[in-house]
C-alpha cells in the first residue's frame, strides 16, 4: 500500500466516522422519524466505493498519459454505484419523506467524498509529475 493511499484511507476513515457520529446525533435528537437503517449501510458503501475508485486511479499500472481516462472511468464507477444504491433504496421504501431524506443524504455523501477524492488526486498527480 503506497503512502498516498494510506493518507487517503485515514482521511476517509475520519470523515466516515465524523459523518456517522454527526448523523447519529442529528437523527437521534432532531430527525428521528426520518431515520432508516439503510442510511448507515449507505455511508459504509460510499466509503468503500470511494476507496476502490481512488485505488483504481492511483495504482501503478495506470500510466500518467492515461490519467484522464482512468479518472473518467473511476467517476463512472462511482456514479453507477451511487445510482444503484439510490435505486435499491427507492424501490424498498414507500414513504416519500424517507425517500427525500435519503436523496439529500446521498447527495451530501457524494459531495463530501468527491471533495476528499479530488483533493487527494490533485496531490497525487502533482507528486507523480515531480
Amino acid at each position: 500500500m503506497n503512502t498516498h493511499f494510506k493518507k487517503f484511507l485515514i482521511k476517509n476513515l475520519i470523515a466516515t466516522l465524523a459523518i456517522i457520529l454527526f448523523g447519529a446525533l442529528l437523527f437521534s435528537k432532531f430527525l428521528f422519524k426520518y431515520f432508516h437503517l439503510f442510511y448507515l449501510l449507505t455511508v459504509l458503501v460510499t466509503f468503500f466505493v470511494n476507496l476502490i475508485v481512488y485505488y483504481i486511479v492511483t495504482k501503478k499500472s495506470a500510466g500518467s498519459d492515461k490519467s484522464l481516462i482512468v479518472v473518467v472511468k473511476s467517476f463512472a464507477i462511482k456514479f453507477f454505484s451511487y445510482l444503484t444504491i439510490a435505486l435499491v433504496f427507492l424501490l424498498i421504501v414507500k414513504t416519500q419523506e424517507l425517500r427525500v431524506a435519503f436523496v439529500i443524504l446521498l447527495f451530501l455523501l457524494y459531495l463530501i467524498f468527491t471533495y476528499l477524492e479530488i483533493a487527494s488526486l490533485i496531490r497525487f498527480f502533482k507528486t507523480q509529475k515531480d
Side-chain angles (χ1 to χ4, degrees), residues 50 75 78 82 109-119:
N50 208 37
F75 278 107
K78 187 182 227 181
Y82 281 39
L109 288 173
Y110 178 79
L111 289 178
I112 292 167
F113 283 117
T114 301
Y115 172 77
L116 289 172
E117 182 181 359
I118 290 173

Side-chain angles (χ1 to χ4, degrees), residues 36-50:
H36 194 280
L37 190 57
F38 199 78
Y39 295 165
L40 180 61
L41 180 64
T42 302
V43 172
L44 295 176
V45 168
T46 55
F47 166 74
F48 285 114
V49 165
N50 208 37

Side-chain angles (χ1 to χ4, degrees), residues 5-127:
F5 188 77
K6 286 180 186 177
K7 290 178 184 178
F8 185 72
L9 176 64
I10 291 169
K11 288 178 185 178
N12 275 278
L13 279 173
I14 292 169
T16 302
L17 292 175
I19 291 167
I20 290 172
L21 291 175
F22 181 72
L25 178 68
L26 189 66
F27 282 114
S28 68
K29 299 291 183 187
F30 305 106
L31 303 171
F32 50 88
K33 68 179 183 176
Y34 298 112
F35 178 75
H36 194 280
L37 190 57
F38 199 78
Y39 295 165
L40 180 61
L41 180 64
T42 302
V43 172
L44 295 176
V45 168
T46 55
F47 166 74
F48 285 114
V49 165
N50 208 37
L51 289 179
I52 291 168
V53 166
Y54 187 80
Y55 178 75
I56 289 171
V57 172
T58 61
K59 69 182 180 179
K60 293 289 184 192
S61 64
S64 60
D65 57 332
K66 298 180 182 180
S67 61
L68 182 62
I69 294 170
V70 174
V71 170
V72 170
K73 285 181 183 179
S74 68
F75 278 107
I77 292 168
K78 187 182 227 181
F79 173 77
F80 285 112
S81 299
Y82 281 39
L83 183 63
T84 303
I85 294 167
L87 289 175
V88 167
F89 185 80
L90 295 176
L91 290 174
I92 291 173
V93 174
K94 302 297 182 210
T95 309
Q96 193 67 23
E97 293 85 16
L98 287 177
R99 287 178 173 182
V100 171
F102 178 77
V103 168
I104 292 169
L105 171 74
L106 193 60
F107 180 69
L108 290 173
L109 288 173
Y110 178 79
L111 289 178
I112 292 167
F113 283 117
T114 301
Y115 172 77
L116 289 172
E117 182 181 359
I118 290 173
S120 296
L121 284 176
I122 288 170
R123 266 185 251 109
F124 174 77
F125 287 124
K126 278 185 180 178
T127 58

